[in-house]
Amino acid sequence: MFQNKKLLSAFVIFLSFFLIWYLFIKKSDYTINFKAKAATRTIFQGIQDWSKEQSKTANLNYKTLEKENFNFIKQELITGNNSYIYSWNMNTINDSITQVSVDINEKNASIYNRLTAPFFNTKFKQEQLKKIEDFRDGLNRHLKTHKVKIDGIGTTEETFVAYINLKSVTQEKAQTMIMNDGKITGFLHNNSIKITGKPYLEVVSWDENKEILAFNYCFPIDKNTKIIEDSIVKFKTIPALKGLTATYNGNYRTSDRAWFTLIDYAKNHNYKLNKKPLEHFFANPFNGGNELEWETKIIIPFAK
C-alpha cells in the first residue's frame, strides 16, 4: 500500500510539472514538421519569397521578427484581432535533405490550442496545416524548376576576360546581366575583340544578410588582346581556383540555389569556403529552350 502511494505521488508530481511545462513554458501551441530535398538557405529564401507573395495574393502581411544563420526565421502574422507567431527551424539531415519544423503560437488562444490541437481537428489546426502545406507545395514546385549536382572538389583554369562590374540584389543578378549585356558585347564588337568562350559571373562581394551582390560579368578573350581604356569595360585575369564545384541546370535567376547547396555541403564536410562563387554559363538564355537543359558550372573557392 505504501509503495502504491509513493508511485501515485510521483506520478502526480510528474504530471503537474508536465502540465506546467506544456501549458506555460513549451515554445509552441502546435508544431508541424516536414522534410524537403533542398538546402537550408533555399528553404530560408523560399519562406521569405512565399511571405511576400502571400501579402500580394492573400492580403496577409508577415513581419520578420528575427533571423539567424539562414536556418531560423521568426515571423508574426496579424489578421483581424488574431496574432500568430511562426518560428521556422531548418536542420540539415544529409547532403540533400533538410528537416523543417514550424512552431506556431496564437497569442490570444494559446492554452486552448495546446489543450485541443493534439486531440481535435480544430479550426486553428486546420488553418495551420493548410498554410504550411501550401508553402511546402510551392517549395516543391520551385524545386522542380532546377537541378543541382554536387561535383566535389575541383579546379578552374586561369582565364583572361573583359568585364563590367555590376551590383544587384541576389535574386536579380541574372536580370542585371541581361540588362547590361549590350554594353559589354557592343564594346567588344565595336572594337573587333573576339569572344573566345562562354561568359562568367565572378562574385566580388556578397552581403548575405542584405542579399546584395557586387559581381563582374565577364567574357573570355585572347590574353594577347590590346587593352583599350574604357570607363565601363575593364580587363583582367580570373585566377585559377580550387574549391567545391557543382553543376546547376535551370534558369540563371536561381543559380544561387547551387551556392546554398555547396555551402551546406561544406558545413557538413568541414570545408571552409571563401564565399565568392564563380559561375560559368554554357547556354545562351536569349536562345530560349528548356531551362532544365541550361547548364552552369559553379565553383566556390576554399578559404585561404
Side-chain angles (χ1 to χ4, degrees):
M1 180 69 71
F2 179 73
Q3 186 69 24
N4 289 339
K5 286 184 177 180
K6 285 181 67 176
L7 289 173
L8 180 60
S9 297
F11 175 75
V12 170
I13 292 171
F14 169 79
L15 182 62
S16 299
F17 277 110
F18 174 78
L19 288 175
I20 291 171
W21 169 81
Y22 184 79
L23 294 175
F24 304 107
I25 300 175
K26 185 172 176 284
K27 290 183 178 181
S28 66
D29 301 342
Y30 189 56
T31 299
I32 300 173
N33 299 294
F34 65 92
K35 294 176 182 178
K37 194 174 182 180
T40 55
R41 293 177 182 229
T42 297
I43 301 170
F44 182 90
Q45 184 63 53
I47 293 167
Q48 297 185 100
D49 293 343
W50 175 77
S51 301
K52 292 176 184 177
E53 185 65 25
Q54 288 286 294
S55 67
K56 296 177 182 177
T57 60
N59 199 28
L60 297 175
N61 185 24
Y62 288 85
K63 179 182 179 182
T64 298
L65 303 178
E66 187 179 344
K67 295 190 289 187
E68 184 179 340
N69 296 331
F70 304 98
N71 58 15
F72 173 79
I73 183 167
K74 186 175 183 179
Q75 300 174 307
E76 181 178 23
L77 169 64
I78 298 176
T79 59
N81 296 322
N82 297 325
S83 174
Y84 301 89
I85 300 296
Y86 296 86
S87 298
W88 303 73
N89 293 275
M90 289 142 276
N91 295 294
T92 301
I93 296 177
N94 55 44
D95 292 339
S96 60
I97 304 296
T98 296
Q99 175 73 43
V100 183
S101 296
V102 191
D103 294 327
I104 306 166
N105 289 282
E106 184 180 5
K107 284 190 175 180
N108 298 326
S110 184
I111 292 178
Y112 173 78
N113 291 331
R114 293 179 188 219
L115 288 171
T116 57
F119 311 106
F120 304 101
N121 200 22
T122 62
K123 180 182 177 182
F124 165 80
K125 182 177 179 178
Q126 289 178 343
E127 289 177 347
Q128 304 316 313
L129 286 170
K130 177 66 166 58
K131 192 180 299 293
I132 303 306
E133 184 180 357
D134 286 346
F135 167 76
R136 185 181 60 186
D137 290 345
L139 176 65
N140 288 333
R141 287 193 298 272
H142 169 68
L143 295 176
K144 290 179 180 178
T145 65
H146 63 272
K147 295 184 292 185
V148 178
K149 182 173 73 74
I150 298 288
D151 297 322
I153 296 174
T155 58
T156 63
E157 295 181 354
E158 183 179 276
T159 307
F160 189 67
V161 298
Y163 72 95
I164 54 176
N165 184 255
L166 301 170
K167 188 175 183 180
S168 75
V169 297
T170 307
Q171 295 86 352
E172 296 178 1
K173 59 183 174 60
Q175 297 94 310
T176 302
M177 285 191 295
I178 290 172
M179 289 170 55
N180 290 275
D181 184 81
K183 293 180 181 178
I184 184 168
T185 56
F187 173 88
L188 296 176
H189 175 76
N190 292 336
N191 289 280
S192 301
I193 298 174
K194 183 180 179 181
I195 297 171
T196 59
K198 301 293 186 180
Y200 290 85
L201 181 150
E202 178 192 36
V203 173
V204 177
S205 66
W206 179 14
D207 188 324
E208 297 177 77
N209 290 313
K210 294 182 180 179
E211 300 180 28
I212 299 293
L213 285 178
F215 61 93
N216 296 326
Y217 181 33
C218 316
F219 282 86
I221 58 175
D222 189 279
K223 63 181 180 180
N224 295 316
T225 299
K226 180 181 178 182
I227 293 176
I228 301 171
E229 294 293 331
D230 187 76
S231 60
I232 297 177
V233 179
K234 307 297 180 181
F235 301 84
K236 64 172 291 186
T237 297
I238 299 176
L241 300 174
K242 182 177 182 180
L244 288 180
T245 64
T247 300
Y248 170 83
N249 294 98
N251 193 295
Y252 299 152
R253 290 195 304 267
T254 52
S255 59
D256 55 349
R257 285 11 179 193
W259 307 1
F260 302 157
T261 303
L262 286 171
I263 290 170
D264 271 8
Y265 183 90
K267 182 179 178 181
N268 294 338
H269 295 271
N270 297 315
Y271 293 113
K272 301 296 183 182
L273 299 180
N274 178 16
K275 294 179 185 176
K276 295 181 178 180
L278 178 70
E279 299 190 327
H280 194 187
F281 306 109
F282 286 90
N284 187 343
F286 293 105
N287 293 335
N290 182 2
E291 293 179 357
L292 281 174
E293 295 179 358
W294 298 3
E295 183 178 272
T296 305
K297 293 291 186 180
I298 297 169
I299 184 169
I300 303 182
F302 293 127
K304 293 183 180 179

